Structures are given as structure tokens and as C-alpha cells.
Amino acid sequence: MSGFDISVILHALPFLAKGLGLSLALTAVAMIGGLALGLVIAVIRLSRFRFPAMLAALYVNGFRAVPLILVIFWFYFLVPLLLGRPVGALYSVLIAFVMFEGAYYSEIIRAGLKSVRPGQWQAAQASGMTYLQTIRLVVLPQALRKMAPLMVTQGVVLFQDTSLVYVVSLHDFMTSASIVANTQNRIVELYVFAAFVYFAICTTGSVLAQRLSSGRRHAY
Amino acid sequence: MIRIEGLSKSYGDLPVLRNCSLEVGRGEVVVICGPSGSGKSTFVKCMNGIEPVQAGRITIDGEVLPSKPAAAARIRSRVGMVFQHFELYPHLTVMENICLAQIHVLKRGRGEAEAKARALLRRVGLADKESAYPTQLSGGQQQRIAIVRALAMDPIAMLFDEPTSALDPEMIGEVLAVMLELAREGMTMIVVTHEMGFAKAAAGRIVFMDHGEIVEVAETQHFFAQPSSERARLFLSRILAH
């Protein structure tokens, strides 16, 4: 093992790309699913229905109190038990990520909705809008501008967290890099390359988040 | 038109409204005044149910306002409301602000809603502002547009919650002028304000509140000539001194 052999990376590129594809796909599904679930949870928590709001709070605090890796394990073993048949590692991981991210996104969305002045809620309600119309037409569009940077930041964290799926034997980007590193005995090359890819993707996300938040200052 | 019976409300142990009753007839203009913290803003916000109350009954145009907020939405859409801080929607243009509830609550078509908005904007002298955003306008302009937004719903009555107290002095006149015109046209209006000039010019009756109670309801001329309660006398001497 001498010198920095870049050819080993080039040879392994299709395999690594497949791993990266899984990481990105997981991130995308967890983000979209998590946002949708988070929105529903946030709206329930802010509603005047005490009991559902309490359940939603329990959900959020529960998921935020356990590490993601535990949630992944949990769904890997629990979902097949509930359904009575195996669902496969990929689906159980997708469910775990969406449920977990939903808890975090709901907090971002809830804070965003609450940041809109009470007078805006009152004005919308005074004009005869229902609770859901008020949220959809008046509050959410204003809150979204404030939430966008935090959502992107959460997405970056989420992308990094996809490396945890190795525990259920799925090959995400990190796991793939690690497999190549060990089988080819080229640890330095592969881990430098992996670091570079993570750095490039996450920095892009962070820059996007910063753009979004500095753009806000001039909005209103 | 609007009948309020035995309205009571408190925040925890702190009572903000105590057994308030008031009846306002069609076309009447009533001004509610009183020292700050007397509950007059809360009172007017309870009238269309956007502030919940612990006790009391509100009847609008013969319909009892239900305690369930969802059921109250339809009745609420018939009463216009203007706020101290305008509360235009900052993410929408003037035109979109005026059309939003027309389209989504009254289910009007966009064309009809925009025609209505344009006609009303002309009346308040802001026809050229329809594509501006609220932050690009002065406070006086924003409040006139907030009035237009409420009028576009063809309300049977209008509630004003200190509509001029967040405005610079030179902008108060333009808003009061619009309100005076509305009063002359026979709109039913309930106005919380410190503008005694407006009260004298437009109001038929004055409601004086203090410590969450309606202390006195009197004909406007009577109220200013000789208020019957000591508290109202004290309030007037302070507010009219300058």
C-alpha cells in the first residue's frame, strides 16, 4: 500500500454511485415524508383540540428522546411483527426516517407558525376563514419564508444520518466506501474521497440555507 | 342588529370584562371609549367571536354566535373588522389582500372580487396601489386598505379596534375621513377610539368603559355635555384637556 492510488476510486465508482444514490433517495423521501408528517403534527399541536394536541406532543417528544439508530432498529424488528410478514430493510428504514424526521420537522414548522403575529390569525379569522384556511392562506406562506433555512439545515443533518442504515445491512454511500476500502485495502483513498463527497454536498446545502436566510431580511 | 348580553371574560383570575351588555341598531354608530386597560379592545374582539368568552351571548342579525369557532366562521364573515395594527397580509399584494376572503370565504370568482376591490380602492383614493405590497405603503394607506378589505365582504356591520392609534398624527385624518363617509352612508359601526372629534361628528351614542365594565351609555351630546358618572367626567377632563 504505497502512494495515493486514485484508480481504485475510479474502478469502484459505479458501486459508490449506487451507494450515494441510496443516500440521496433516502434523504429525499425522508425530507418530503417528514415535512408532510411534520406539518400535520404541527397543525394538530397548535389546534385547540386538547387531546390530539397532547398526543402530537407525546409523539414529538418521544422521537426526540431516542437516537435515530434505535428508531431504525425498532422499525426493522417491530414493523414485521406488526404486519406479520417481513417488509425488507429498505422499507423499514424509510418508515423509520420519515417518522423520525417528522418529529423534528414538526418542531421547525410549529416554531415558524408561531412566529407569525397573532393579529394575522385574528385578521384571517375575522374575515370568516376557517382554522385550516387561515393556516394555508395566511400563516403558512409567511412562516415558510422563515422556516426555509432551518429546513435545509435539517436536510443536511439528515443526509449525514443516512450512513446509519449500515446497521440493517443497507449499502448507503458511507457503507459502500467502507466496503471498497476494506476489500481493496485502500483505506486512505476511499475515506478521503468519502469525506470530499460529504463535504461538497453538505456545504452546498449550508450555502443554500444561508442564502435563504439572508434573503429573508429584505422581505418583511 | 348586534345584541350583546352579559358578556364576561377573564384571563385566569383577572377579569377583563364583567357582565357587559349592549345593543346596537341598524345604521347606528357607537363609539366605545375609556382609559387604557378598560377592556374595550377585548370587548370589540369578542363581538365577532375571535376572542373566546366565559359567559354571555352575542346575537348578530338575529343569529346567535355559536361558541364553536368553526360554526362561527360564517357569521363572522358578515361583520368587518379593522385592527389597530392594520394586519394586512405582508406576503400578498394590495389586490390579493382584498380578494383573499372574497374568493375563499364568499366563493366569489376572481373577476368579480377584483372588480369589487377596484371600485372600493377608487373610493378611498388608492386605485394606483393595487399591485403594491403592504410594506411599501404608509400607515394611513395601509389602514385605508384594511378598511377596503373588510368592506369588500359586504359586511352588515363594521368593528374598529383603535384604528388610528398606531398612526402618525398627519395620517389620522385620512383614515377618519373614510370612516366618517362610511358612517354617513348608514353603515352600522362600533368603534373603539380615543378620537373624540370623530365621536362627536359621527357617533349617535358613546359607551364608556372602565375596569372591564360598561359604566355609562349615553347620547353623544349628553355624554360630552354632562356625563352622568364621575369616572367618565374624570376621563373626559383628562382627554379633552389637550
Side-chain angles (χ1 to χ4, degrees):
Chain A
M1 186 168 136
S2 58
F4 194 92
D5 185 3
I6 206 152
S7 69
V8 71
I9 293 170
L10 293 175
H11 276 128
L13 221 46
F15 182 69
L16 292 172
K18 223 178 133 193
L20 186 61
L22 177 70
S23 291
L24 290 174
L26 257 179
T27 306
V29 171
M31 240 180 129
I32 293 164
L35 277 172
L37 180 63
L39 179 62
V40 173
I41 294 170
V43 168
I44 293 174
R45 268 192 90 173
L46 289 176
S47 76
R48 46 181 189 279
F49 306 112
R50 291 258 175 86
F51 185 64
M54 207 183 69
L55 286 183
L58 195 70
Y59 178 95
V60 172
N61 293 327
F63 271 97
R64 296 210 309 167
V66 292
L68 175 56
I69 195 159
L70 183 64
V71 179
I72 293 172
F73 270 132
W74 209 41
F75 278 91
Y76 186 59
F77 295 110
L78 187 84
V79 172
L81 272 182
L82 286 177
L83 292 180
R85 63 186 170 85
V87 290
L90 181 63
Y91 284 105
S92 71
V93 155
L94 281 176
I95 296 168
F97 268 81
V98 167
M99 306 274 293
F100 188 80
E101 291 302 316
Y104 280 83
Y105 275 121
S106 83
E107 283 298 272
I108 295 176
I109 293 169
R110 190 168 70 107
L113 293 177
K114 282 185 82 170
S115 74
V116 175
R117 308 204 328 214
Q120 291 282 305
W121 294 80
Q122 291 184 340
Q125 307 231 277
S127 72
M129 287 186 209
T130 62
Y131 175 62
L132 286 180
Q133 279 179 326
T134 301
I135 289 195
R136 181 165 61 88
L137 302 168
V138 174
V139 179
L140 199 57
Q142 295 180 54
L144 263 179
R145 294 165 189 244
K146 292 175 185 151
M147 298 182 306
L150 281 173
M151 287 177 166
V152 174
T153 304
Q154 180 66 24
V156 168
V157 174
L158 165 64
F159 175 67
Q160 293 168 357
D161 282 349
T162 57
S163 61
L164 290 175
V165 300
Y166 79 91
V167 296
V168 291
S169 313
L170 284 176
H171 294 178
D172 73 301
F173 179 63
M174 188 60 223
T175 312
S176 307
S178 159
I179 289 169
V180 177
N182 287 314
T183 53
Q184 305 290 320
N185 203 19
R186 283 289 175 185
I187 288 169
V188 175
E189 284 85 345
L190 265 301
Y191 287 160
V192 166
F193 178 68
F196 174 76
V197 170
Y198 274 110
F199 182 78
I201 291 175
C202 295
T203 308
T204 308
S206 301
V207 169
L208 179 66
Q210 265 171 17
R211 281 256 175 94
L212 286 171
S213 70
S214 62
R216 291 295 68 77
R217 245 172 265 144
H218 307 291
Y220 35 81
Chain B
M1 168 75 51
I2 296 179
R3 188 161 69 230
I4 299 142
E5 297 159 283
L7 211 64
S8 293
K9 179 182 174 67
S10 54
Y11 294 118
D13 287 339
L14 184 78
V16 280
L17 292 177
R18 302 176 217 230
N19 198 24
C20 294
S21 298
L22 180 68
E23 196 163 344
V24 178
R26 192 178 299 273
E28 209 187 342
V29 177
V30 172
V31 160
I32 302 176
C33 64
S36 55
S38 58
K40 51 197 193 302
S41 272
T42 310
F43 188 41
V44 81
K45 280 180 180 164
C46 290
M47 287 180 198
N48 62 355
I50 58 173
E51 283 271 3
V53 294
Q54 271 93 33
R57 194 162 79 142
I58 297 159
T59 316
I60 294 172
D61 200 22
E63 280 188 282
V64 177
L65 197 70
S67 55
K68 277 207 169 135
R74 192 182 50 81
I75 298 179
R76 221 181 266 145
S77 71
R78 303 184 63 201
V79 179
M81 181 145 201
V82 175
F83 296 83
Q84 181 178 1
H85 296 287
F86 332 133
E87 304 301 347
L88 293 178
Y89 309 131
H91 60 298
L92 301 176
T93 64
V94 166
M95 178 56 85
E96 290 164 340
N97 261 280
I98 302 169
C99 290
L100 194 69
Q102 288 192 73
I103 291 170
H104 293 277
V105 176
L106 299 184
K107 311 292 178 199
R108 280 185 186 150
R110 183 167 295 278
E112 188 191 351
E114 288 187 351
K116 182 107 205 165
R118 288 205 179 92
L120 286 167
L121 280 173
R122 261 198 305 280
R123 269 182 50 187
V124 300
L126 293 170
D128 55 332
K129 299 293 184 196
E130 64 174 64
S131 48
Y133 282 88
T135 46
Q136 299 169 311
L137 304 171
S138 73
Q141 291 171 329
Q142 287 191 55
Q143 194 60 301
R144 280 186 282 162
I145 284 160
I147 294 172
V148 165
R149 180 176 67 177
L151 288 176
M153 301 292 284
D154 293 323
I156 57 168
M158 289 279 283
L159 307 174
F160 294 83
D161 179 19
E162 305 207 21
T164 56
S165 53
L167 294 174
D168 292 334
E170 73 269 24
M171 289 170 187
I172 291 176
E174 62 193 62
V175 172
L176 290 180
V178 171
M179 291 168 60
L180 268 173
E181 199 194 317
L182 266 183
R184 281 198 199 104
E185 286 167 4
M187 174 61 78
T188 307
M189 293 164 72
I190 299 174
V191 185
V192 173
T193 187
H194 292 293
E195 295 293 331
M196 292 301 124
F198 172 81
K200 281 177 185 164
R205 283 187 301 159
I206 309 286
V207 173
F208 176 72
M209 289 182 73
D210 196 12
H211 297 298
E213 281 176 322
I214 294 181
V215 179
E216 181 170 347
V217 182
E219 303 275 322
T220 303
Q221 283 174 331
H222 267 225
F223 182 77
F224 285 106
Q226 53 188 166
S228 54
S229 65
E230 186 54 40
R231 281 191 275 181
R233 251 195 294 278
L234 199 65
F235 172 76
L236 277 178
S237 69
R238 278 192 195 132
I239 205 162
L240 296 177
H242 48 258

